Amino acid sequence: MTDLLDLRADPVELTAALVDIPSVSRDERRLADAVEHALRTQAPHLEVVRNGEAVLARTNLGRASRVLLAGHLDTVPINDNLPSRRTGSGADEVLHGCGTVDMKGGDAVLLHVAAALPEPRHDLTFLFYDCEEIAAEHNGLNRIERELPDWLDGDLAIVGEPSNASIEAGCQGTLRVEVRTSGARAHTARAWMGENAIHGAEPILRRLLDYVPRQPVIDGLQYHEGLQAVRIEGGVAGNVVPDSCLVAVNHRFAPDKSLAEAEAHVREVFDGFDLTVVDGSGGALPGLGSPAAAELVAAAGGEPVAKLGWTDVARFAARGLPAVNFGPGSPTLAHTQQENVPTAQIRSCAEALTRFLS
């Protein structure tokens, strides 16, 4: 039986309903079914298409411009934080539960707008997709781009990732590398006969400790880069001098730097060491100069800030679309057991998007 969602309900109630349908990555079907059914039955003005566990919907009104609104349906694994619950009341009410922040509050806002605006002033495309929270190769947007690329065309993309109900423009890129040292095994009773690869990693860690990250200002927004060791592996046995050591490093870089430039920079930092690139994704420039983005900023109010993490805005930027993050909730609470969102932010996001699109 398909779960029933009321898209015209208070978006806070809709958020709670979405949260209470578990949708851990690779297990989004139940929620996708509910979203598809709701759009088909409550938003007859939309063309609706199912693609795997993604649900796509759009208007075809012949408007001069098209705005894409995107949100992923999946969450990280549940951590004893379902079903949803509420604390406080009135302006201080808070909704708790897995996905409230990342990003079912944003999904609820987009679904509410999809049903409430049959005659928007821009044509609209809504993308509710799967597998964003796991390896990038599984992201549902990859499949959509291969199979239904015209659904990703537009003039502005709004991704409903949590941004404290303010505009977070662009995003930083991310690069993961592995830096290795090698040595020679020996019995620890005769350690001088070997070469300790873990000890040999000390210069790698020293370079990381001494590293001073850039903080460039782009289009008036300040980004903050980073270079961090995130894992270290080495050791054979309790009585063996290790002959190999691996230090995994993550580099977050501002969007004025390409992925190739980021790789060249990291190779320079670790010059002399064996370095392997594991994966990477470029960032997205703020793109606030486009007319549609400027109108959105005005509708949202407040001052836009730089997005310091990586989000799918980068995928849209790579296709030539200005892209921003705009959704309820604090990114610092994403993926935590304490995930929660002020309900006032859900309503304010819905009101801002309605103003922008009406």
Side-chain angles (χ1 to χ4, degrees):
M1 180 177 175
T2 301
D3 299 271
L4 299 181
L5 302 172
D6 183 356
L7 303 188
R8 295 186 180 274
D10 180 340
V12 172
E13 300 296 333
L14 182 54
T15 301
L18 295 174
V19 169
D20 288 337
I21 302 175
S23 57
V24 176
S25 303
R26 296 186 181 279
D27 193 18
E28 301 99 336
R29 178 165 298 177
R30 179 181 164 192
L31 181 56
D33 287 347
V35 168
E36 179 185 12
H37 181 266
L39 288 170
R40 290 190 185 279
T41 57
Q42 299 172 46
H45 57 283
L46 296 173
E47 174 191 2
V48 179
V49 169
R50 181 69 175 260
N51 179 265
E53 304 308 343
V55 183
L56 318 180
R58 65 185 175 189
T59 63
N60 295 293
L61 301 172
R63 302 294 196 244
S65 59
R66 179 173 291 276
V67 175
L68 275 61
L69 301 105
H72 62 82
L73 296 176
D74 61 319
T75 70
V76 296
I78 297 163
N79 187 13
D80 195 27
N81 52 358
L82 280 188
S84 63
R85 62 185 179 87
R86 303 187 200 200
T87 59
S89 60
D92 297 321
E93 184 182 56
V94 175
L95 180 65
H96 302 255
C98 182
T100 49
V101 170
D102 195 11
M103 56 170 286
K104 292 183 177 179
D107 289 333
V109 169
L110 302 188
L111 285 166
H112 178 79
V113 168
L117 296 179
E119 292 286 339
R121 64 190 184 94
H122 305 275
D123 265 315
L124 305 180
T125 299
F126 297 91
L127 308 168
F128 300 99
Y129 58 99
D130 52 314
C131 290
E132 189 272 349
E133 295 290 9
I134 53 178
E137 65 191 272
H138 303 299
N139 189 306
L141 289 177
N142 295 325
R143 186 184 63 253
I144 295 167
E145 187 166 27
R146 289 193 306 270
E147 300 176 7
L148 299 167
D150 65 298
W151 281 79
L152 301 183
D153 293 338
D155 300 284
L156 172 69
I158 302 170
V159 179
E161 290 278 6
S163 64
N164 282 308
S166 62
I167 300 294
E168 289 189 336
C171 73
Q172 298 203 134
T174 181
L175 177 71
R176 291 194 301 139
V177 304
E178 293 177 345
V179 190
R180 300 175 183 272
T181 59
S182 59
R185 292 190 190 188
H187 196 296
T188 52
R190 294 174 292 279
W192 63 89
M193 298 182 69
E195 182 181 357
N196 194 308
I198 293 179
H199 294 182
E202 188 275 339
I204 298 173
L205 301 179
R206 176 55 52 193
R207 293 181 197 187
L208 287 166
L209 285 168
D210 293 341
Y211 184 77
V212 179
R214 287 198 316 147
Q215 298 184 50
V217 175
I218 306 170
D219 292 347
L221 306 181
Q222 185 167 56
Y223 291 83
H224 195 304
E225 296 188 334
L227 190 67
Q228 292 287 313
V230 294
R231 189 177 81 255
I232 188 165
E233 297 177 359
V236 180
N239 58 354
V240 178
V241 174
D243 61 347
S244 67
C245 180
L246 177 152
V247 181
V249 176
N250 181 220
H251 179 40
R252 297 293 174 131
F253 56 95
D256 62 343
K257 186 187 294 181
S258 69
L259 183 58
E261 289 170 334
E263 179 181 339
H265 173 66
V266 172
R267 288 189 182 278
E268 182 180 8
V269 171
F270 297 112
D271 184 43
F273 288 95
D274 176 19
L275 183 148
T276 302
V277 173
V278 177
D279 65 23
S281 297
L285 290 167
L288 295 180
S290 75
E295 292 170 9
L296 173 61
V297 170
E303 290 295 323
V305 297
K307 181 66 176 180
L308 300 184
W310 187 94
T311 72
D312 280 322
V313 299
R315 296 178 182 273
F316 297 109
R319 294 179 60 86
L321 281 71
V324 301
N325 304 277
F326 181 60
S330 170
T332 62
L333 291 172
H335 301 186
T336 69
Q337 187 180 44
Q338 296 74 34
E339 197 172 352
N340 67 83
V341 60
T343 58
Q345 287 193 11
I346 299 172
R347 294 189 180 99
S348 70
C349 284
E351 291 164 2
L353 283 182
T354 300
R355 283 195 300 272
F356 167 55
L357 297 170
S358 295

